[in-house]
Amino acid sequence: MNELKPILQELVVQPVAFMGGLVSGLLRLNLNEDPLRSWLEKQGASPASTSGNSQNSKNSGPQSISID
């Protein structure tokens, strides 16, 4: 039950922002895009910025390496 405690606390403190984040995660929406980001900020949540979300998506495939 200790693992769920932080999640339940966020749900109680900011239920609208929590549910918005949960739904956007299930729909795999990008939290850094403007309409969703501004709505979450108005609700009191601060979306975590992840490095390389859309910028490095081209390089996320297999890469070749050379070993000497």
Side-chain angles (χ1 to χ4, degrees):
M1 189 66 177
N2 288 338
E3 296 87 18
L4 297 176
K5 194 171 187 176
I7 295 172
L8 294 176
Q9 286 176 344
E10 280 295 318
L11 179 61
V12 171
V13 173
Q14 300 172 352
V16 175
F18 180 84
M19 293 306 292
L22 184 66
V23 169
S24 66
L26 291 174
L27 296 176
R28 296 186 181 183
L29 299 175
N30 187 359
L31 295 178
N32 292 324
E33 290 181 3
D34 189 31
L36 184 58
R37 182 180 183 103
S38 63
W39 181 81
L40 285 173
E41 287 174 352
K42 285 180 186 177
Q43 299 302 319
S46 58
S49 62
T50 57
S51 62
N53 234 3
S54 62
Q55 295 171 350
N56 293 333
S57 63
K58 295 179 271 186
N59 299 332
S60 63
Q63 297 178 356
S64 63
I65 60 170
S66 62
I67 300 174
D68 292 332

